[in-house]
Amino acid sequence: MEYQYILVETTSYTGVFLIRLNRPKELNALNRRGMEELVHAMQVLDADSSCVCIVLTGNEKAFAAGADIKEMANNTAIDMQKIDQFTRWDMLKKIKKPIIAAVSGFALGGGCELAMLCDMIIASESAQFGQPEIKIGVMPGAGGTQRLTRAVGKALAMEMVLTGRFISAQEALRAGLINKIVPTEIYLQEALKFAAEIAKMPPLALQLAKEAVLRSFETSLEEGLYFERKNFYLLFASEDQKEGMQAFVEKRQPQWKGQ
Ligand code: DAK
């Protein structure tokens, strides 16, 4: 697939790949084609054994200012149902490898929802998060009422969704929406370094651990603990478990094979 609205790049960090949303004039508004490209690129990297961790970013001014309002403005409900472009977004949930969002500037509406679909968020000092859909006559449609509420709690989520107020990186950090704030000039480098630390871990264990954490949002504690235990046991079938524990005993660095 030829990419028009995203860039996929290797990085100087082993196992870390970078995807950039690349519609700068439109503040990376997420159009249909761009989302298809993003899903495609994520799926390709998920299947590529040289990739362990993915960083998703925009640019300094905008991670993404939301779904493309101009593209959907004249749609009817039936158009929306038929096009069903947002089903594509759901495929991002199925990516097994860890995804780090490196957010600077605006992360609004679908852009905020996209960042929340990632596993962790590294934000620049100038990042702003918001769900302003209410101001254009709709409401969040890709997780803004659910993932945001789970992340920041009912009071703040309700305020953001009902008033459209943006929150700063500082407020997002205090509320538990993001992992870390870094200076704007180096936000991407810092996110890549953060991803590089993760990429040093055993790839299979990363994937099963990610799966288990995400399962906690879908299930009871009892079922979640059961799921966790099964994934834990499953890792004892991997060469990396033998290597990791042997390396500990022999006081050396482990060499991961991802199997
Ligand atoms: N869509 C299309 N174009 C956008 C855009 C967007 N979301 N955001 C910005 N742009 C365009 C502007 O129209 C402008 O284009 P030109 O006029 O130059 O052609 C250019 O980007 C620069 O924007 P501004 O001139 O407005 O820049 P400012 O710095 O003055 O303001 C701003 C920046 C981010 C505050 C402002 O652009 C803004 O308010 N943008 C809209 C933010 C917004 O309302 N976002 C939510 C969109 S609705 C669903 C899944 C997802 C969604 C829905 C359903 N399902 C699963 C069902 C998601 C919905 C949304 O995200």
Side-chain angles (χ1 to χ4, degrees):
M1 184 179 201
E2 289 235 333
Y3 300 141
Q4 192 182 346
Y5 299 115
I6 64 165
L7 300 167
V8 181
E9 299 170 20
T10 54
T11 71
S12 54
Y13 298 103
T14 309
V16 179
F17 283 69
L18 174 65
I19 303 179
R20 291 179 198 262
L21 303 172
N22 190 33
R23 275 187 95 197
K25 274 198 225 131
E26 293 82 6
L27 303 181
N28 290 329
L30 302 162
N31 60 351
R32 221 180 303 157
R33 170 74 196 186
M35 281 308 292
E36 264 168 37
E37 293 176 7
L38 178 60
V39 169
H40 183 268
M42 288 279 186
Q43 288 174 333
V44 168
L45 291 179
D46 213 26
D48 178 346
S49 59
S50 69
C51 173
V52 182
C53 186
I54 302 164
V55 175
L56 175 64
T57 197
N59 56 50
E60 208 173 294
K61 184 154 188 223
F63 176 74
D68 189 327
I69 300 171
K70 293 167 192 166
E71 192 178 61
M72 65 183 164
N74 293 320
N75 284 353
T76 64
I78 302 300
D79 294 333
M80 293 298 277
Q81 174 68 31
K82 275 191 184 156
I83 299 167
D84 201 19
Q85 73 184 86
F86 300 108
T87 300
R88 303 288 298 161
W89 293 47
D90 287 344
M91 293 183 182
L92 294 176
K93 279 194 309 201
K94 299 198 168 72
I95 301 299
K96 296 193 181 86
K97 293 176 182 170
I99 309 170
I100 313 296
V103 175
S104 186
F106 299 114
L108 305 176
C112 186
E113 290 166 320
L114 180 58
M116 291 190 292
L117 251 173
C118 297
D119 301 307
M120 283 168 274
I121 302 176
I122 305 295
S124 83
E125 288 157 338
S126 54
Q128 295 187 69
F129 298 84
Q131 298 290 161
E133 292 91 338
I134 199 83
K135 294 182 174 172
I136 53 168
V138 285
M139 59 173 278
T145 63
Q146 304 300 306
R147 288 198 183 90
L148 182 67
T149 307
R150 282 168 168 79
V152 307
K154 178 186 162 192
L156 183 56
M158 199 64 98
E159 181 183 335
M160 289 172 70
V161 169
L162 299 193
T163 70
R165 178 171 81 82
F166 300 169
I167 60 170
S168 66
Q170 285 296 346
E171 195 171 356
L173 184 67
R174 278 199 302 276
L177 182 62
I178 64 176
N179 295 73
K180 200 170 165 181
I181 304 176
V182 292
T184 303
E185 313 78 62
I186 54 165
Y187 83 97
L188 185 54
Q189 269 318 309
E190 289 296 311
L192 291 172
K193 272 197 231 163
F194 186 76
E197 285 306 308
I198 292 166
K200 286 181 192 156
M201 302 300 153
L204 264 182
L206 282 175
Q207 292 177 29
L208 294 194
K210 165 175 169 165
E211 188 187 29
V213 172
L214 290 178
R215 183 54 71 105
S216 72
F217 293 107
E218 312 289 343
T219 190
S220 67
L221 179 60
E222 198 55 34
E223 286 297 316
L225 290 171
Y226 181 73
F227 188 85
E228 175 189 79
R229 198 169 316 131
K230 292 289 172 195
N231 276 9
F232 178 77
Y233 292 157
L234 183 57
L235 285 170
F236 279 73
S238 71
E239 290 182 30
D240 284 349
Q241 174 270 325
K242 300 285 173 289
E243 168 64 7
M245 294 193 178
Q246 195 60 35
F248 175 81
V249 172
E250 292 169 8
K251 298 187 188 301
R252 62 173 173 81
Q253 286 300 313
Q255 300 295 321
W256 307 124
K257 289 189 180 159
Q259 51 192 20

Short mmCIF file of all heavy atoms in Angstrom, two decimals, residues 22-69:
data_model
loop_
_atom_site.label_atom_id
_atom_site.label_comp_id
_atom_site.label_asym_id
_atom_site.label_seq_id
_atom_site.Cartn_x
_atom_site.Cartn_y
_atom_site.Cartn_z
N ASN A 22 0.81 12.45 8.89
CA ASN A 22 1.46 13.46 8.06
C ASN A 22 0.49 14.21 7.15
O ASN A 22 0.52 14.08 5.93
CB ASN A 22 2.56 12.77 7.23
CG ASN A 22 3.45 13.76 6.52
OD1 ASN A 22 3.69 14.85 7.03
ND2 ASN A 22 3.93 13.40 5.35
N ARG A 23 -0.41 14.96 7.82
CA ARG A 23 -1.28 15.91 7.10
C ARG A 23 -1.14 17.24 7.82
O ARG A 23 -2.10 17.74 8.43
CB ARG A 23 -2.75 15.49 7.20
CG ARG A 23 -3.25 14.49 6.21
CD ARG A 23 -4.76 14.35 6.38
NE ARG A 23 -5.52 15.18 5.48
CZ ARG A 23 -6.81 15.47 5.65
NH1 ARG A 23 -7.47 15.03 6.70
NH2 ARG A 23 -7.43 16.23 4.76
N PRO A 24 0.04 17.82 7.81
CA PRO A 24 0.31 18.96 8.69
C PRO A 24 -0.62 20.15 8.48
O PRO A 24 -1.03 20.78 9.45
CB PRO A 24 1.77 19.32 8.38
CG PRO A 24 2.12 18.60 7.12
CD PRO A 24 1.21 17.43 7.01
N LYS A 25 -0.99 20.43 7.21
CA LYS A 25 -1.84 21.62 6.96
C LYS A 25 -3.19 21.49 7.63
O LYS A 25 -3.80 22.45 8.04
CB LYS A 25 -2.03 21.82 5.45
CG LYS A 25 -0.90 22.61 4.84
CD LYS A 25 -1.32 23.17 3.47
CE LYS A 25 -0.20 22.96 2.48
NZ LYS A 25 -0.55 22.38 1.21
N GLU A 26 -3.66 20.26 7.74
CA GLU A 26 -4.98 20.00 8.36
C GLU A 26 -4.82 19.59 9.81
O GLU A 26 -5.74 19.00 10.41
CB GLU A 26 -5.73 18.91 7.59
CG GLU A 26 -6.15 19.28 6.18
CD GLU A 26 -5.04 19.11 5.14
OE1 GLU A 26 -3.95 18.59 5.51
OE2 GLU A 26 -5.25 19.50 3.97
N LEU A 27 -3.69 19.88 10.41
CA LEU A 27 -3.42 19.49 11.81
C LEU A 27 -3.63 18.00 12.03
O LEU A 27 -4.13 17.55 13.06
CB LEU A 27 -4.29 20.32 12.79
CG LEU A 27 -4.15 21.83 12.70
CD1 LEU A 27 -5.05 22.52 13.72
CD2 LEU A 27 -2.71 22.28 12.91
N ASN A 28 -3.25 17.24 11.00
CA ASN A 28 -3.35 15.78 11.05
C ASN A 28 -4.78 15.27 11.29
O ASN A 28 -4.97 14.22 11.91
CB ASN A 28 -2.39 15.19 12.10
CG ASN A 28 -0.95 15.32 11.65
OD1 ASN A 28 -0.66 15.30 10.46
ND2 ASN A 28 -0.06 15.49 12.60
N ALA A 29 -5.76 16.04 10.82
CA ALA A 29 -7.14 15.55 10.91
C ALA A 29 -7.20 14.18 10.25
O ALA A 29 -6.60 13.95 9.19
CB ALA A 29 -8.07 16.53 10.20
N LEU A 30 -7.92 13.28 10.90
CA LEU A 30 -7.90 11.87 10.50
C LEU A 30 -8.96 11.61 9.44
O LEU A 30 -10.15 11.50 9.76
CB LEU A 30 -8.13 11.00 11.74
CG LEU A 30 -7.11 11.22 12.87
CD1 LEU A 30 -7.63 10.68 14.19
CD2 LEU A 30 -5.77 10.59 12.51
N ASN A 31 -8.51 11.54 8.21
CA ASN A 31 -9.47 11.23 7.14
C ASN A 31 -9.50 9.71 6.91
O ASN A 31 -8.70 8.96 7.47
CB ASN A 31 -9.12 11.99 5.85
CG ASN A 31 -7.73 11.65 5.35
OD1 ASN A 31 -6.96 10.99 6.02
ND2 ASN A 31 -7.41 12.10 4.15
N ARG A 32 -10.45 9.32 6.08
CA ARG A 32 -10.68 7.89 5.88
C ARG A 32 -9.44 7.18 5.35
O ARG A 32 -9.00 6.17 5.86
CB ARG A 32 -11.83 7.73 4.88
CG ARG A 32 -12.77 6.64 5.26
CD ARG A 32 -13.88 6.54 4.24
NE ARG A 32 -14.61 7.80 4.08
CZ ARG A 32 -15.30 8.13 2.99
NH1 ARG A 32 -15.34 7.32 1.94
NH2 ARG A 32 -15.96 9.26 2.93
N ARG A 33 -8.88 7.77 4.29
CA ARG A 33 -7.71 7.16 3.67
C ARG A 33 -6.53 7.07 4.67
O ARG A 33 -5.86 6.04 4.77
CB ARG A 33 -7.31 8.00 2.43
CG ARG A 33 -6.00 7.67 1.81
CD ARG A 33 -6.03 6.39 1.03
NE ARG A 33 -4.66 5.92 0.78
CZ ARG A 33 -4.34 4.89 0.03
NH1 ARG A 33 -5.28 4.18 -0.56
NH2 ARG A 33 -3.08 4.52 -0.14
N GLY A 34 -6.32 8.14 5.42
CA GLY A 34 -5.22 8.15 6.40
C GLY A 34 -5.38 7.07 7.45
O GLY A 34 -4.42 6.42 7.86
N MET A 35 -6.62 6.85 7.89
CA MET A 35 -6.85 5.81 8.90
C MET A 35 -6.61 4.42 8.31
O MET A 35 -6.08 3.54 8.98
CB MET A 35 -8.27 5.91 9.48
CG MET A 35 -8.44 6.99 10.51
SD MET A 35 -7.24 6.96 11.87
CE MET A 35 -7.67 5.46 12.75
N GLU A 36 -7.00 4.27 7.04
CA GLU A 36 -6.73 2.97 6.39
C GLU A 36 -5.23 2.72 6.33
O GLU A 36 -4.76 1.61 6.60
CB GLU A 36 -7.30 2.95 4.98
CG GLU A 36 -8.67 2.30 4.94
CD GLU A 36 -9.39 2.53 3.62
OE1 GLU A 36 -8.73 2.53 2.57
OE2 GLU A 36 -10.62 2.72 3.67
N GLU A 37 -4.50 3.77 5.99
CA GLU A 37 -3.04 3.64 5.91
C GLU A 37 -2.46 3.31 7.28
O GLU A 37 -1.57 2.46 7.41
CB GLU A 37 -2.43 4.95 5.38
CG GLU A 37 -2.79 5.23 3.94
CD GLU A 37 -2.25 6.56 3.43
OE1 GLU A 37 -1.49 7.23 4.16
OE2 GLU A 37 -2.60 6.94 2.31
N LEU A 38 -2.97 3.99 8.30
CA LEU A 38 -2.45 3.77 9.65
C LEU A 38 -2.69 2.32 10.09
O LEU A 38 -1.78 1.66 10.62
CB LEU A 38 -3.12 4.74 10.64
CG LEU A 38 -2.71 4.60 12.09
CD1 LEU A 38 -1.20 4.83 12.28
CD2 LEU A 38 -3.49 5.58 12.97
N VAL A 39 -3.89 1.84 9.86
CA VAL A 39 -4.20 0.45 10.24
C VAL A 39 -3.29 -0.50 9.47
O VAL A 39 -2.72 -1.44 10.04
CB VAL A 39 -5.70 0.14 9.97
CG1 VAL A 39 -5.97 -1.35 10.10
CG2 VAL A 39 -6.58 0.93 10.93
N HIS A 40 -3.13 -0.24 8.19
CA HIS A 40 -2.28 -1.11 7.36
C HIS A 40 -0.85 -1.13 7.90
O HIS A 40 -0.26 -2.19 8.11
CB HIS A 40 -2.31 -0.62 5.91
CG HIS A 40 -1.52 -1.49 4.97
ND1 HIS A 40 -0.20 -1.25 4.69
CD2 HIS A 40 -1.85 -2.62 4.30
CE1 HIS A 40 0.25 -2.19 3.86
NE2 HIS A 40 -0.74 -3.03 3.61
N ALA A 41 -0.31 0.06 8.17
CA ALA A 41 1.09 0.14 8.64
C ALA A 41 1.25 -0.57 9.98
O ALA A 41 2.23 -1.28 10.21
CB ALA A 41 1.50 1.61 8.77
N MET A 42 0.29 -0.39 10.86
CA MET A 42 0.35 -1.05 12.18
C MET A 42 0.33 -2.57 12.00
O MET A 42 1.07 -3.30 12.67
CB MET A 42 -0.85 -0.65 13.04
CG MET A 42 -0.79 0.76 13.55
SD MET A 42 0.26 0.87 15.02
CE MET A 42 0.00 2.57 15.48
N GLN A 43 -0.52 -3.04 11.10
CA GLN A 43 -0.62 -4.49 10.90
C GLN A 43 0.68 -5.06 10.31
O GLN A 43 1.12 -6.13 10.68
CB GLN A 43 -1.82 -4.83 10.01
CG GLN A 43 -3.14 -4.62 10.75
CD GLN A 43 -4.37 -4.80 9.88
OE1 GLN A 43 -4.32 -4.59 8.66
NE2 GLN A 43 -5.48 -5.15 10.50
N VAL A 44 1.27 -4.29 9.39
CA VAL A 44 2.54 -4.74 8.79
C VAL A 44 3.62 -4.82 9.88
O VAL A 44 4.35 -5.80 9.98
CB VAL A 44 2.96 -3.78 7.64
CG1 VAL A 44 4.39 -4.05 7.21
CG2 VAL A 44 2.00 -3.94 6.46
N LEU A 45 3.70 -3.79 10.72
CA LEU A 45 4.72 -3.80 11.77
C LEU A 45 4.45 -4.89 12.81
O LEU A 45 5.37 -5.50 13.35
CB LEU A 45 4.79 -2.42 12.46
CG LEU A 45 5.36 -1.30 11.59
CD1 LEU A 45 5.37 0.02 12.37
CD2 LEU A 45 6.78 -1.62 11.12
N ASP A 46 3.16 -5.14 13.06
CA ASP A 46 2.82 -6.19 14.03
C ASP A 46 3.31 -7.56 13.56
O ASP A 46 3.65 -8.42 14.36
CB ASP A 46 1.29 -6.21 14.23
CG ASP A 46 0.90 -6.60 15.65
OD1 ASP A 46 1.72 -6.36 16.57
OD2 ASP A 46 -0.20 -7.15 15.84
N ALA A 47 3.35 -7.71 12.22
CA ALA A 47 3.75 -9.01 11.66
C ALA A 47 5.26 -9.07 11.39
O ALA A 47 5.78 -10.10 10.98
CB ALA A 47 2.98 -9.25 10.36
N ASP A 48 5.96 -7.97 11.61
CA ASP A 48 7.38 -7.89 11.28
C ASP A 48 8.21 -8.19 12.55
O ASP A 48 8.17 -7.43 13.51
CB ASP A 48 7.66 -6.46 10.77
CG ASP A 48 9.12 -6.22 10.45
OD1 ASP A 48 9.98 -7.04 10.84
OD2 ASP A 48 9.41 -5.20 9.82
N SER A 49 8.96 -9.29 12.51
CA SER A 49 9.65 -9.70 13.75
C SER A 49 10.78 -8.75 14.13
O SER A 49 11.26 -8.80 15.26
CB SER A 49 10.18 -11.13 13.61
OG SER A 49 11.07 -11.17 12.53
N SER A 50 11.20 -7.87 13.23
CA SER A 50 12.25 -6.93 13.62
C SER A 50 11.67 -5.74 14.42
O SER A 50 12.40 -4.93 14.97
CB SER A 50 13.01 -6.42 12.39
OG SER A 50 12.17 -5.59 11.62
N CYS A 51 10.36 -5.66 14.46
CA CYS A 51 9.70 -4.58 15.22
C CYS A 51 9.21 -5.12 16.57
O CYS A 51 8.48 -6.10 16.61
CB CYS A 51 8.52 -4.02 14.42
SG CYS A 51 7.54 -2.84 15.35
N VAL A 52 9.61 -4.45 17.64
CA VAL A 52 9.16 -4.87 18.98
C VAL A 52 8.20 -3.85 19.58
O VAL A 52 7.25 -4.18 20.27
CB VAL A 52 10.38 -5.06 19.93
CG1 VAL A 52 9.92 -5.54 21.31
CG2 VAL A 52 11.37 -6.06 19.33
N CYS A 53 8.44 -2.58 19.27
CA CYS A 53 7.62 -1.52 19.86
C CYS A 53 7.40 -0.42 18.80
O CYS A 53 8.32 -0.08 18.06
CB CYS A 53 8.36 -0.97 21.08
SG CYS A 53 7.42 0.22 22.03
N ILE A 54 6.19 0.12 18.79
CA ILE A 54 5.83 1.11 17.77
C ILE A 54 5.59 2.47 18.44
O ILE A 54 4.92 2.54 19.48
CB ILE A 54 4.54 0.69 17.03
CG1 ILE A 54 4.72 -0.69 16.38
CG2 ILE A 54 4.13 1.73 15.98
CD1 ILE A 54 3.42 -1.36 15.96
N VAL A 55 6.15 3.52 17.85
CA VAL A 55 5.85 4.87 18.33
C VAL A 55 4.97 5.55 17.28
O VAL A 55 5.28 5.51 16.08
CB VAL A 55 7.14 5.70 18.56
CG1 VAL A 55 6.81 7.14 18.93
CG2 VAL A 55 7.99 5.05 19.66
N LEU A 56 3.88 6.13 17.74
CA LEU A 56 2.97 6.85 16.84
C LEU A 56 3.01 8.33 17.21
O LEU A 56 2.82 8.68 18.38
CB LEU A 56 1.54 6.31 17.00
CG LEU A 56 0.45 7.05 16.22
CD1 LEU A 56 0.67 6.94 14.70
CD2 LEU A 56 -0.94 6.51 16.58
N THR A 57 3.26 9.17 16.23
CA THR A 57 3.33 10.60 16.53
C THR A 57 2.68 11.42 15.42
O THR A 57 2.25 10.87 14.39
CB THR A 57 4.80 11.04 16.73
OG1 THR A 57 4.83 12.30 17.39
CG2 THR A 57 5.57 11.12 15.42
N GLY A 58 2.61 12.73 15.67
CA GLY A 58 2.14 13.66 14.64
C GLY A 58 3.28 14.63 14.39
O GLY A 58 4.36 14.22 13.99
N ASN A 59 3.06 15.89 14.68
CA ASN A 59 4.15 16.85 14.64
C ASN A 59 4.04 17.73 15.87
O ASN A 59 3.17 17.52 16.72
CB ASN A 59 4.12 17.66 13.33
CG ASN A 59 2.79 18.36 13.13
OD1 ASN A 59 2.28 19.03 14.03
ND2 ASN A 59 2.20 18.19 11.97
N GLU A 60 4.93 18.72 15.96
CA GLU A 60 4.97 19.52 17.19
C GLU A 60 3.64 20.25 17.45
O GLU A 60 3.21 20.39 18.57
CB GLU A 60 6.12 20.53 17.05
CG GLU A 60 6.69 20.91 18.38
CD GLU A 60 7.93 21.78 18.21
OE1 GLU A 60 8.95 21.26 17.69
OE2 GLU A 60 7.87 22.96 18.58
N LYS A 61 2.97 20.68 16.36
CA LYS A 61 1.74 21.46 16.54
C LYS A 61 0.51 20.59 16.79
O LYS A 61 -0.43 20.99 17.49
CB LYS A 61 1.50 22.34 15.29
CG LYS A 61 0.30 23.24 15.46
CD LYS A 61 0.33 24.49 14.63
CE LYS A 61 -0.85 25.38 15.06
NZ LYS A 61 -1.55 25.98 13.98
N ALA A 62 0.50 19.41 16.20
CA ALA A 62 -0.69 18.57 16.37
C ALA A 62 -0.34 17.09 16.29
O ALA A 62 0.31 16.66 15.32
CB ALA A 62 -1.73 18.90 15.30
N PHE A 63 -0.79 16.36 17.28
CA PHE A 63 -0.81 14.90 17.15
C PHE A 63 -1.92 14.59 16.14
O PHE A 63 -1.65 14.09 15.06
CB PHE A 63 -1.08 14.26 18.51
CG PHE A 63 -1.22 12.76 18.47
CD1 PHE A 63 -0.10 11.97 18.30
CD2 PHE A 63 -2.47 12.15 18.61
CE1 PHE A 63 -0.22 10.57 18.25
CE2 PHE A 63 -2.59 10.78 18.56
CZ PHE A 63 -1.47 9.98 18.38
N ALA A 64 -3.12 14.98 16.45
CA ALA A 64 -4.24 14.94 15.49
C ALA A 64 -5.39 15.75 16.06
O ALA A 64 -5.76 15.57 17.23
CB ALA A 64 -4.69 13.51 15.23
N ALA A 65 -5.96 16.63 15.23
CA ALA A 65 -7.05 17.51 15.70
C ALA A 65 -8.42 16.87 15.53
O ALA A 65 -9.43 17.56 15.51
CB ALA A 65 -6.99 18.84 14.97
N GLY A 66 -8.44 15.55 15.41
CA GLY A 66 -9.73 14.85 15.36
C GLY A 66 -10.00 14.21 14.02
O GLY A 66 -9.18 14.30 13.10
N ALA A 67 -11.15 13.57 13.95
CA ALA A 67 -11.58 13.03 12.65
C ALA A 67 -11.78 14.21 11.72
O ALA A 67 -12.02 15.35 12.16
CB ALA A 67 -12.87 12.25 12.83
N ASP A 68 -11.67 13.95 10.42
CA ASP A 68 -11.76 15.02 9.43
C ASP A 68 -13.21 15.52 9.34
O ASP A 68 -14.08 14.86 8.76
CB ASP A 68 -11.28 14.50 8.08
CG ASP A 68 -11.14 15.62 7.06
OD1 ASP A 68 -11.93 16.60 7.13
OD2 ASP A 68 -10.26 15.53 6.20
N ILE A 69 -13.44 16.69 9.93
CA ILE A 69 -14.80 17.23 10.00
C ILE A 69 -15.33 17.51 8.59
O ILE A 69 -16.50 17.24 8.29
CB ILE A 69 -14.82 18.54 10.83
CG1 ILE A 69 -14.33 18.27 12.26
CG2 ILE A 69 -16.23 19.14 10.86
CD1 ILE A 69 -14.11 19.52 13.10
#
